[in-house]
Amino acid sequence: MAVIGGSGLYSLDFIENPKRKKFDTPYGQSPEIVLGDLNDKEVAFLPRHGKDHAAPPHRINFRANLWSLRELGVERIFASTAAGSLDLDLEPGEFVLLDQFLDFTKNRTSTFYEGKEGVYHVDMTEPYCPDLRNILQKTAEDLDIPVSSSGTYVCTEGPRFETAAEIRMFRQLGADVVGMTNVPESVLARELEMCYSAVSVVTNFAAGISQERLTHEEVAEIMDENMERLKDLLYSTIPKVPKKRTCPCRNALSGAKVEV
Ligand code: HPA
């Protein structure tokens, strides 16, 4: 099992016997992963932007990140993302368990399958693992952490924030929260037949939803305020994940290859 930490989540102090590891990947980078235990489970932690948040969203080597988790044998991923809210009723500090995304990225490599290994079209009807989302939701209820049990995430290219007009458009398209990193992360996980779930922490109202200017300072501040609750949620969720997978994520490639 792995946790991918977004803005604000740079370490997981509940991992016991932590060891740092690097894996060579065919993608020009060897991300550093922290490996350790939680109860009887092996848990990996990977900060998405790198150890010192060095990579902006459009420069993250998503393929190297996901590939190295696969090399480790990871089958399930819990990702955290900071996100802006497109809805005045969804306030900073609230958690959203994502169930859909809209992809507005522009310049990212969104596949492992460039043609050499064959051509694959993976099903993304349901981009986030429904089983992991259910466990997250039940755990959040047990812990009295208010969460939205579903939400559509619109992924923008960044690193700039959006214009007010873009946010108006995304609202009309049905987005609930906006961020810059869930695509292609979730897509690449699916191509590797991993279960991928994501908790968005609402850090701000998106551009034009409130009249305030957006700053990263505000995003970082609200993430900090909610970090303990986010870690509690992960700490209590991970031990509840059953060993065996029964969701469709594990067979994502079956029937996906173009055969001629
Ligand atoms: N837009 C894009 N990404 C974000 C935002 C936002 O308003 N807040 C946190 N990440």
Side-chain angles (χ1 to χ4, degrees):
M1 237 165 315
V3 173
I4 298 181
S7 288
L9 184 57
Y10 303 116
S11 64
L12 274 188
D13 30 26
F14 58 70
I15 291 187
E16 296 150 20
N17 312 313
K19 291 179 201 71
R20 294 182 188 283
K21 290 222 160 153
K22 281 189 174 192
F23 292 87
D24 285 339
T25 74
Y27 303 104
Q29 264 179 19
S30 311
E32 188 172 287
I33 295 176
V34 176
L35 243 191
D37 309 307
L38 175 58
N39 298 348
D40 60 337
K41 297 209 155 52
E42 242 194 322
V43 180
F45 175 73
L46 171 64
R48 175 186 294 124
H49 297 268
K51 241 191 339 178
D52 311 310
H53 202 128
H58 66 296
R59 306 289 305 219
I60 293 172
N61 193 330
F62 289 102
R63 291 199 295 185
N65 282 355
L66 273 290
W67 189 268
S68 46
L69 292 179
R70 214 271 305 256
E71 289 292 285
L72 257 177
V74 167
E75 291 186 335
R76 271 97 155 215
I77 295 172
F78 294 95
S80 81
T81 70
S85 166
L86 279 69
D87 177 353
L88 274 175
D89 290 334
L90 187 57
E91 296 186 15
E94 293 191 39
F95 290 6
V96 183
L97 306 179
L98 302 179
D99 72 329
Q100 285 292 325
F101 70 67
L102 295 167
D103 179 9
F104 277 82
T105 62
K106 295 175 187 157
N107 287 309
R108 302 182 185 189
T109 308
S110 296
T111 183
F112 286 108
Y113 299 105
E114 304 271 31
K116 260 198 318 229
E117 320 70 3
V119 175
Y120 286 81
H121 300 289
V122 292
D123 175 50
M124 288 299 275
T125 309
E126 187 148 30
Y128 299 92
C129 174
D131 289 6
L132 292 186
R133 192 172 58 253
N134 280 338
I135 302 172
L136 279 164
Q137 191 196 337
K138 288 202 184 89
T139 310
E141 277 165 19
D142 292 346
L143 296 175
D144 269 337
I145 297 176
V147 291
S148 298
S149 57
S150 63
T152 298
Y153 175 102
V154 56
C155 193
T156 59
E157 182 67 9
R160 67 168 176 84
F161 287 119
E162 300 70 38
T163 66
E166 286 169 331
I167 293 296
R168 277 200 300 278
M169 172 182 75
F170 295 146
R171 257 175 81 102
Q172 287 182 17
L173 296 179
D176 301 300
V177 289
V178 57
M180 303 176 191
T181 54
N182 239 239
V183 182
E185 198 169 83
S186 51
V187 181
L188 295 172
R190 177 61 54 86
E191 283 193 346
L192 296 178
E193 299 188 321
M194 293 160 147
C195 295
Y196 182 90
S197 61
V199 183
S200 274
V201 178
V202 174
T203 51
N204 56 284
F205 288 113
I209 299 287
S210 86
Q211 297 316 310
E212 305 289 315
R213 219 179 122 252
L214 289 184
T215 63
H216 179 71
E217 212 169 82
E218 169 192 9
V219 170
E221 213 175 279
I222 301 289
M223 263 330 267
D224 274 358
E225 281 171 21
N226 288 284
M227 204 39 66
E228 283 316 305
R229 283 197 313 160
L230 179 61
K231 286 183 184 171
D232 281 352
L233 178 59
L234 294 169
Y235 174 77
S236 302
T237 300
I238 289 169
K240 292 188 188 153
V241 176
K243 256 204 163 62
K244 225 173 137 57
R245 297 196 290 167
T246 52
C247 51
C249 316
R250 69 195 201 287
N251 299 319
L253 292 185
S254 78
K257 189 169 186 193
V258 175
E259 307 280 2
V260 281

